[in-house]
Amino acid sequence: MSEKYFLKHIDRPESNTLAFYLQQGGYRTWKRVLQEKSPEQIIEEVKRSGLRGRGGAGFPTGLKWSFVPRQSASPKYLVCNADESEPGTFKDRYLIEREPHLLLEGMAMAAYAIDSRQAFIYIRGEFAYGAQTLERAIHEATEAGLLGKNIQASGYDLQITVHRGAGAYICGEETGLLESLEGKRGWPRLKPPFPATKGAFGCPTVVNNVETLVNLPVILSLGADRYAAIGSNEKNTGPKLYCLSGHVNRPGLYEFPLGKNLQELIYQEAGGIRKGKKLKAVIPGGSSVPVLRADEIDVAMDFDALVSRGSMLGSAGVIVMDEDTCMVKALLNLATFYSHESCGQCTPCREGTMWMKKILSRIEHGQGRPEDLPLLEDIARHIQGRTICPLGDAAAMPAASFLKQFRQEFIEHIEQKKCPHSK
Amino acid sequence: MPTLKIDDKEITVEPGASVLQAALANGIEIPHYCWHPALSVAGSCRLCLVEIEGSPKLQLSCATEARDGMIVRTQTESVKDARKSMLEFFLINHPLDCPICDKAGECLLQDYTWKYGTSHSRMVEDKRERPTKDLGGNILLYRNRCVLCSRCVRFYQEVVGDPYLFIEHRGYHSDISIFPGKGLTHKMTGNIVEICPVGCLIDKDFLFHARVWNLQRSKSVCPGCSSGCTIYLEHKDRRVFRIRNRENPAIGQQWICDDGRYLYHRYENLNRPESPWTRQAGELKPQTWEQAMIYAVEALQKNPGRLAAIGSAFASCEENYLMRKIFRQILGCEYLSFYAPAIEEADTVYRSGFTIRGDKSPNRKGAGLLLGDQTDFYQAIESGRITRLFLINGDPLLHLTLEQKRILAKLQELWVLDIQSPEWDSVAAHFWPIACFTETQGTFVNAVGQVQRFQRALQPPQGVRPGWEVLLDLLARLAPGAGMLSAADVLDALAMEEPAWRSISYFKLGDQGLPIESR
């Protein structure tokens, strides 16, 4: 049983109060950091810890911070990306609702490190309770002198503002998020310029995921070396939340060091497949990453091992599908999601996602043609890498991988002119 | 300045220019929809992807700055594949209604598909169908044809400074829209039809009137206000069908207003005599030009003391110059001035700086430089200082008040050169029909002092002659040997005489014109 950093209070409903958090030793690291460490030292420490962004891309956090110009005439902003909307992912929601002070403490450290005096939490519109919880936590922490003006007489000010989204998946993309934060339509921006130089309101900005930020108090209390010892190797360090959903006996949120074996996660921790069925497929990192077949799951859940297996860690939203699952229908479900959530700004994604959905719907309903499979692959290939933001890739990758891994099922649908799984 | 290689061609560009700009400026075509030189970079159509050495993925040429030593390729298999697929995406929901689309022939979707796309569609599903919407004014939105380049949306944000249009809904259902209860009622609407790369935004004024490939283009200058925007007159069968913007980088002109765009209608159905007429015993008698000239040569030379000549802010510099030459230099008249309408409104300035002037005449500056200050000749007539008048007009909106008509009736003799006669029927002694701006050539000086040339697009109707030709004829009869044969000759003679025009000649003017020298 490895030590828990994020889920240790899962059975304590009062875990989101300041009183409880302080009682557990919360904010002690923040106060110490304010007194003892310079922003440069924090960045250095985070770099040494090997922390990689938990939003999906796995970009080294310390490195991301170091792109922000040290001297800047304009204000700098820290933005917490709490727009968790990736299907199969529910880790940030837990942290927001149950460990808001851990998030605030992490944000304070990140903001201090990049010298930001104003931070935003962009929270998914549907998380109404989470937004309320955060507002209350910010109020409590400010009253206690842990945020706000002249924190702990250090001369450092930090205001944290909660901004609720309006229900678009695309606003989880960091530049789409910034547009939305500015009050505009959530259309991702062309990069460069990257947010580190020109982000919110044209000012240098760091956008970090909720789970990334809650790692900071852990790093700074344990020290970079002890933190880096957690995980599968020096490039994949720290504790990690895994979201298990689908046909497992015990779906839910699990915490293990980064690099937990996927097979163990499903069969030992989550109690295996429901009703004793056989496993068919696993999407290991939220709906946008390539799917794995049942024989491919003996793999470490970290950024690099999954890439070498042809998939990605993504948000670690593990979606488990048993032998009864119709893979055409599953892909149709995903394609419907992405065509619905495509922002429509750039051509391949706007047109291609809906086209794929229409073709898949035909195949699922027994009207597929043999030439539809190469056509689907073509469309996916034409979307991938040619869009402004990664949503295009996110829509194309599952399509390409489902077709590669489970092609026979698609052929069966076309040959039998119906879905073999439908009753 | 950065030097890069595009398709093995060495190209040097201004710092900050994009790869797309570098290519276009050097005759290398990279297809694009969303990029427009006068608007911000959107980077959304994804059609201008090119290969740049060192980048694993294709790069947007519109959003990539041209840097020194860059190696760009626009004709590789991967670029061609990207273009082909992008055009396929554009076309899957396009109605392919080119036979009834006004844009056909100047449509970038047609052109690019022909050059870079495929000839068949792989989509068997139903297309997205949306009814056509009336945006107000002259603008129709054929939503099925839209490629969502967002040029029109950015035009309103960045040029007009008033975001009338926006993109409604999301993803596949994204749609250009206008706020409820609003219509396009201001004066910049026609520009969005021109910048629309496809047949989505259509002008009702031109709808179903002609196929664009049958139209001829003449370079002209808008006479609607003193901004003097350069325009194309597009015409066939002795009729103008539409006016298009002709950008003039020399004075930073990128747009034209709707007043100018639809102004050609003012010159349709004018009441134009087919020959000069003269008043005899209270009746208007047609004359030949020869008769009119012979009489005028004799009559004008008699008693020039109280003869006055009035030029016009609607007449070309050449015509105003000939007026001066004939009446001051040859006949020795004292009273010279010009007609210009009163300025009744303030300039309208849009966010981008584009200005619609309150001065609704095209050549006030030129007429003023040649004929001196504008004076109230009605008062001079009233006081008896002027008893005979020779006047050229050209303003199709001229309306004489009863008071003005009363004063003009006091004249012993009034010659009028104008494009239409009704206003003068009761007051003029002699009326000479002259060509309107679409039927003649010449130059105007706009509000910022740019001398710009307009070409003749149409033949004047039977019996109607260009004003400069009439005046030149008169000059030749009064003082043979002036040596001028054409409007170009007149301008060159003007330039010899008038210091402000010193550095100007008809051929040096080119399409963009030249500034006059300020004294």
PDB file of all heavy atoms in Angstrom, chain A residues 240-261:
ATOM      1  N   LYS A 240      -0.070   9.874  -8.632  1.00  0.00           N
ATOM      2  CA  LYS A 240      -0.975  10.119  -9.762  1.00  0.00           C
ATOM      3  C   LYS A 240      -2.364   9.592  -9.443  1.00  0.00           C
ATOM      4  O   LYS A 240      -2.504   8.546  -8.804  1.00  0.00           O
ATOM      5  CB  LYS A 240      -0.418   9.396 -11.005  1.00  0.00           C
ATOM      6  CG  LYS A 240      -1.257   9.505 -12.250  1.00  0.00           C
ATOM      7  CD  LYS A 240      -1.048  10.852 -12.957  1.00  0.00           C
ATOM      8  CE  LYS A 240      -2.058  11.090 -14.070  1.00  0.00           C
ATOM      9  NZ  LYS A 240      -3.285  11.753 -13.610  1.00  0.00           N
ATOM     10  N   LEU A 241      -3.354  10.319  -9.901  1.00  0.00           N
ATOM     11  CA  LEU A 241      -4.728   9.849  -9.761  1.00  0.00           C
ATOM     12  C   LEU A 241      -5.145   9.120 -11.034  1.00  0.00           C
ATOM     13  O   LEU A 241      -4.837   9.567 -12.138  1.00  0.00           O
ATOM     14  CB  LEU A 241      -5.670  11.029  -9.520  1.00  0.00           C
ATOM     15  CG  LEU A 241      -5.514  11.720  -8.159  1.00  0.00           C
ATOM     16  CD1 LEU A 241      -6.377  12.978  -8.109  1.00  0.00           C
ATOM     17  CD2 LEU A 241      -5.894  10.775  -7.027  1.00  0.00           C
ATOM     18  N   TYR A 242      -5.803   7.995 -10.880  1.00  0.00           N
ATOM     19  CA  TYR A 242      -6.292   7.222 -12.021  1.00  0.00           C
ATOM     20  C   TYR A 242      -7.805   7.126 -11.917  1.00  0.00           C
ATOM     21  O   TYR A 242      -8.338   6.798 -10.851  1.00  0.00           O
ATOM     22  CB  TYR A 242      -5.689   5.814 -12.020  1.00  0.00           C
ATOM     23  CG  TYR A 242      -4.167   5.828 -12.056  1.00  0.00           C
ATOM     24  CD1 TYR A 242      -3.433   5.811 -10.881  1.00  0.00           C
ATOM     25  CD2 TYR A 242      -3.496   5.853 -13.271  1.00  0.00           C
ATOM     26  CE1 TYR A 242      -2.046   5.834 -10.909  1.00  0.00           C
ATOM     27  CE2 TYR A 242      -2.102   5.868 -13.311  1.00  0.00           C
ATOM     28  CZ  TYR A 242      -1.381   5.861 -12.122  1.00  0.00           C
ATOM     29  OH  TYR A 242      -0.017   5.881 -12.156  1.00  0.00           O
ATOM     30  N   CYS A 243      -8.489   7.385 -13.007  1.00  0.00           N
ATOM     31  CA  CYS A 243      -9.941   7.336 -12.995  1.00  0.00           C
ATOM     32  C   CYS A 243     -10.364   6.069 -13.729  1.00  0.00           C
ATOM     33  O   CYS A 243     -10.111   5.948 -14.924  1.00  0.00           O
ATOM     34  CB  CYS A 243     -10.536   8.537 -13.721  1.00  0.00           C
ATOM     35  SG  CYS A 243      -9.694  10.084 -13.399  1.00  0.00           S
ATOM     36  N   LEU A 244     -10.977   5.164 -13.033  1.00  0.00           N
ATOM     37  CA  LEU A 244     -11.408   3.936 -13.695  1.00  0.00           C
ATOM     38  C   LEU A 244     -12.905   3.954 -13.925  1.00  0.00           C
ATOM     39  O   LEU A 244     -13.681   4.184 -12.995  1.00  0.00           O
ATOM     40  CB  LEU A 244     -10.999   2.706 -12.879  1.00  0.00           C
ATOM     41  CG  LEU A 244      -9.620   2.199 -13.320  1.00  0.00           C
ATOM     42  CD1 LEU A 244      -8.537   2.878 -12.533  1.00  0.00           C
ATOM     43  CD2 LEU A 244      -9.536   0.700 -13.276  1.00  0.00           C
ATOM     44  N   SER A 245     -13.288   3.704 -15.158  1.00  0.00           N
ATOM     45  CA  SER A 245     -14.717   3.663 -15.460  1.00  0.00           C
ATOM     46  C   SER A 245     -14.976   2.558 -16.457  1.00  0.00           C
ATOM     47  O   SER A 245     -14.051   1.990 -17.031  1.00  0.00           O
ATOM     48  CB  SER A 245     -15.179   5.008 -16.017  1.00  0.00           C
ATOM     49  OG  SER A 245     -14.511   5.275 -17.229  1.00  0.00           O
ATOM     50  N   GLY A 246     -16.226   2.254 -16.660  1.00  0.00           N
ATOM     51  CA  GLY A 246     -16.586   1.215 -17.608  1.00  0.00           C
ATOM     52  C   GLY A 246     -16.890  -0.083 -16.901  1.00  0.00           C
ATOM     53  O   GLY A 246     -17.339  -0.107 -15.751  1.00  0.00           O
ATOM     54  N   HIS A 247     -16.585  -1.191 -17.586  1.00  0.00           N
ATOM     55  CA  HIS A 247     -17.057  -2.493 -17.116  1.00  0.00           C
ATOM     56  C   HIS A 247     -16.146  -3.134 -16.074  1.00  0.00           C
ATOM     57  O   HIS A 247     -15.747  -4.288 -16.224  1.00  0.00           O
ATOM     58  CB  HIS A 247     -17.243  -3.434 -18.303  1.00  0.00           C
ATOM     59  CG  HIS A 247     -18.148  -2.852 -19.350  1.00  0.00           C
ATOM     60  ND1 HIS A 247     -17.992  -3.058 -20.706  1.00  0.00           N
ATOM     61  CD2 HIS A 247     -19.237  -2.044 -19.231  1.00  0.00           C
ATOM     62  CE1 HIS A 247     -18.939  -2.419 -21.365  1.00  0.00           C
ATOM     63  NE2 HIS A 247     -19.700  -1.795 -20.492  1.00  0.00           N
ATOM     64  N   VAL A 248     -15.772  -2.399 -15.051  1.00  0.00           N
ATOM     65  CA  VAL A 248     -14.988  -3.001 -13.963  1.00  0.00           C
ATOM     66  C   VAL A 248     -15.888  -3.120 -12.739  1.00  0.00           C
ATOM     67  O   VAL A 248     -16.909  -2.446 -12.625  1.00  0.00           O
ATOM     68  CB  VAL A 248     -13.740  -2.164 -13.597  1.00  0.00           C
ATOM     69  CG1 VAL A 248     -12.662  -2.331 -14.646  1.00  0.00           C
ATOM     70  CG2 VAL A 248     -14.102  -0.705 -13.400  1.00  0.00           C
ATOM     71  N   ASN A 249     -15.480  -3.999 -11.828  1.00  0.00           N
ATOM     72  CA  ASN A 249     -16.310  -4.209 -10.638  1.00  0.00           C
ATOM     73  C   ASN A 249     -16.310  -3.025  -9.692  1.00  0.00           C
ATOM     74  O   ASN A 249     -17.316  -2.729  -9.069  1.00  0.00           O
ATOM     75  CB  ASN A 249     -15.850  -5.470  -9.897  1.00  0.00           C
ATOM     76  CG  ASN A 249     -16.413  -6.709 -10.552  1.00  0.00           C
ATOM     77  OD1 ASN A 249     -17.601  -6.760 -10.879  1.00  0.00           O
ATOM     78  ND2 ASN A 249     -15.578  -7.707 -10.800  1.00  0.00           N
ATOM     79  N   ARG A 250     -15.142  -2.354  -9.578  1.00  0.00           N
ATOM     80  CA  ARG A 250     -15.091  -1.205  -8.664  1.00  0.00           C
ATOM     81  C   ARG A 250     -14.598   0.034  -9.403  1.00  0.00           C
ATOM     82  O   ARG A 250     -13.426   0.414  -9.281  1.00  0.00           O
ATOM     83  CB  ARG A 250     -14.166  -1.520  -7.476  1.00  0.00           C
ATOM     84  CG  ARG A 250     -14.779  -2.488  -6.452  1.00  0.00           C
ATOM     85  CD  ARG A 250     -13.995  -2.503  -5.152  1.00  0.00           C
ATOM     86  NE  ARG A 250     -12.611  -2.946  -5.325  1.00  0.00           N
ATOM     87  CZ  ARG A 250     -12.221  -4.210  -5.354  1.00  0.00           C
ATOM     88  NH1 ARG A 250     -13.110  -5.184  -5.223  1.00  0.00           N
ATOM     89  NH2 ARG A 250     -10.950  -4.530  -5.511  1.00  0.00           N
ATOM     90  N   PRO A 251     -15.476   0.674 -10.172  1.00  0.00           N
ATOM     91  CA  PRO A 251     -15.031   1.898 -10.842  1.00  0.00           C
ATOM     92  C   PRO A 251     -14.767   2.979  -9.803  1.00  0.00           C
ATOM     93  O   PRO A 251     -15.308   2.917  -8.703  1.00  0.00           O
ATOM     94  CB  PRO A 251     -16.215   2.268 -11.732  1.00  0.00           C
ATOM     95  CG  PRO A 251     -17.400   1.624 -11.105  1.00  0.00           C
ATOM     96  CD  PRO A 251     -16.896   0.384 -10.400  1.00  0.00           C
ATOM     97  N   GLY A 252     -13.960   3.961 -10.154  1.00  0.00           N
ATOM     98  CA  GLY A 252     -13.719   5.063  -9.233  1.00  0.00           C
ATOM     99  C   GLY A 252     -12.333   5.640  -9.376  1.00  0.00           C
ATOM    100  O   GLY A 252     -11.610   5.352 -10.330  1.00  0.00           O
ATOM    101  N   LEU A 253     -12.005   6.461  -8.382  1.00  0.00           N
ATOM    102  CA  LEU A 253     -10.741   7.183  -8.420  1.00  0.00           C
ATOM    103  C   LEU A 253      -9.704   6.442  -7.585  1.00  0.00           C
ATOM    104  O   LEU A 253      -9.998   6.017  -6.470  1.00  0.00           O
ATOM    105  CB  LEU A 253     -11.000   8.585  -7.834  1.00  0.00           C
ATOM    106  CG  LEU A 253      -9.993   9.689  -8.087  1.00  0.00           C
ATOM    107  CD1 LEU A 253      -9.726   9.863  -9.576  1.00  0.00           C
ATOM    108  CD2 LEU A 253     -10.533  10.984  -7.498  1.00  0.00           C
ATOM    109  N   TYR A 254      -8.515   6.261  -8.132  1.00  0.00           N
ATOM    110  CA  TYR A 254      -7.447   5.540  -7.433  1.00  0.00           C
ATOM    111  C   TYR A 254      -6.187   6.385  -7.442  1.00  0.00           C
ATOM    112  O   TYR A 254      -5.911   7.085  -8.410  1.00  0.00           O
ATOM    113  CB  TYR A 254      -7.173   4.205  -8.136  1.00  0.00           C
ATOM    114  CG  TYR A 254      -8.319   3.232  -8.001  1.00  0.00           C
ATOM    115  CD1 TYR A 254      -9.411   3.289  -8.867  1.00  0.00           C
ATOM    116  CD2 TYR A 254      -8.319   2.257  -7.001  1.00  0.00           C
ATOM    117  CE1 TYR A 254     -10.477   2.422  -8.747  1.00  0.00           C
ATOM    118  CE2 TYR A 254      -9.370   1.373  -6.869  1.00  0.00           C
ATOM    119  CZ  TYR A 254     -10.449   1.457  -7.743  1.00  0.00           C
ATOM    120  OH  TYR A 254     -11.493   0.580  -7.612  1.00  0.00           O
ATOM    121  N   GLU A 255      -5.402   6.271  -6.368  1.00  0.00           N
ATOM    122  CA  GLU A 255      -4.132   6.998  -6.338  1.00  0.00           C
ATOM    123  C   GLU A 255      -2.985   6.015  -6.179  1.00  0.00           C
ATOM    124  O   GLU A 255      -2.983   5.182  -5.255  1.00  0.00           O
ATOM    125  CB  GLU A 255      -4.102   8.000  -5.184  1.00  0.00           C
ATOM    126  CG  GLU A 255      -2.764   8.747  -5.119  1.00  0.00           C
ATOM    127  CD  GLU A 255      -2.663   9.737  -3.968  1.00  0.00           C
ATOM    128  OE1 GLU A 255      -3.707  10.120  -3.411  1.00  0.00           O
ATOM    129  OE2 GLU A 255      -1.527  10.119  -3.634  1.00  0.00           O
ATOM    130  N   PHE A 256      -2.022   6.114  -7.085  1.00  0.00           N
ATOM    131  CA  PHE A 256      -0.799   5.317  -7.016  1.00  0.00           C
ATOM    132  C   PHE A 256       0.326   6.152  -7.580  1.00  0.00           C
ATOM    133  O   PHE A 256       0.091   7.148  -8.245  1.00  0.00           O
ATOM    134  CB  PHE A 256      -0.948   4.027  -7.846  1.00  0.00           C
ATOM    135  CG  PHE A 256      -1.957   3.079  -7.275  1.00  0.00           C
ATOM    136  CD1 PHE A 256      -3.230   2.992  -7.833  1.00  0.00           C
ATOM    137  CD2 PHE A 256      -1.654   2.302  -6.168  1.00  0.00           C
ATOM    138  CE1 PHE A 256      -4.175   2.153  -7.294  1.00  0.00           C
ATOM    139  CE2 PHE A 256      -2.604   1.452  -5.626  1.00  0.00           C
ATOM    140  CZ  PHE A 256      -3.872   1.368  -6.187  1.00  0.00           C
ATOM    141  N   PRO A 257       1.556   5.719  -7.348  1.00  0.00           N
ATOM    142  CA  PRO A 257       2.646   6.432  -8.004  1.00  0.00           C
ATOM    143  C   PRO A 257       2.483   6.357  -9.514  1.00  0.00           C
ATOM    144  O   PRO A 257       1.883   5.413 -10.040  1.00  0.00           O
ATOM    145  CB  PRO A 257       3.889   5.665  -7.557  1.00  0.00           C
ATOM    146  CG  PRO A 257       3.489   5.000  -6.283  1.00  0.00           C
ATOM    147  CD  PRO A 257       2.043   4.680  -6.429  1.00  0.00           C
ATOM    148  N   LEU A 258       2.994   7.364 -10.191  1.00  0.00           N
ATOM    149  CA  LEU A 258       2.970   7.376 -11.642  1.00  0.00           C
ATOM    150  C   LEU A 258       3.659   6.112 -12.141  1.00  0.00           C
ATOM    151  O   LEU A 258       4.714   5.730 -11.630  1.00  0.00           O
ATOM    152  CB  LEU A 258       3.704   8.627 -12.134  1.00  0.00           C
ATOM    153  CG  LEU A 258       3.534   9.040 -13.582  1.00  0.00           C
ATOM    154  CD1 LEU A 258       2.069   9.127 -13.969  1.00  0.00           C
ATOM    155  CD2 LEU A 258       4.193  10.394 -13.803  1.00  0.00           C
ATOM    156  N   GLY A 259       3.036   5.462 -13.123  1.00  0.00           N
ATOM    157  CA  GLY A 259       3.642   4.243 -13.650  1.00  0.00           C
ATOM    158  C   GLY A 259       3.024   2.972 -13.093  1.00  0.00           C
ATOM    159  O   GLY A 259       3.568   1.876 -13.250  1.00  0.00           O
ATOM    160  N   LYS A 260       1.875   3.066 -12.455  1.00  0.00           N
ATOM    161  CA  LYS A 260       1.165   1.881 -11.978  1.00  0.00           C
ATOM    162  C   LYS A 260       0.836   0.979 -13.178  1.00  0.00           C
ATOM    163  O   LYS A 260       0.431   1.467 -14.232  1.00  0.00           O
ATOM    164  CB  LYS A 260      -0.126   2.340 -11.284  1.00  0.00           C
ATOM    165  CG  LYS A 260      -1.047   1.233 -10.826  1.00  0.00           C
ATOM    166  CD  LYS A 260      -0.528   0.560  -9.586  1.00  0.00           C
ATOM    167  CE  LYS A 260      -1.505  -0.504  -9.087  1.00  0.00           C
ATOM    168  NZ  LYS A 260      -0.929  -1.280  -7.953  1.00  0.00           N
ATOM    169  N   ASN A 261       0.984  -0.305 -12.984  1.00  0.00           N
ATOM    170  CA  ASN A 261       0.697  -1.227 -14.078  1.00  0.00           C
ATOM    171  C   ASN A 261      -0.805  -1.245 -14.378  1.00  0.00           C
ATOM    172  O   ASN A 261      -1.636  -1.376 -13.476  1.00  0.00           O
ATOM    173  CB  ASN A 261       1.175  -2.628 -13.691  1.00  0.00           C
ATOM    174  CG  ASN A 261       0.941  -3.615 -14.804  1.00  0.00           C
ATOM    175  OD1 ASN A 261      -0.172  -4.061 -15.012  1.00  0.00           O
ATOM    176  ND2 ASN A 261       2.006  -3.936 -15.529  1.00  0.00           N
TER     177      ASN A 261
END
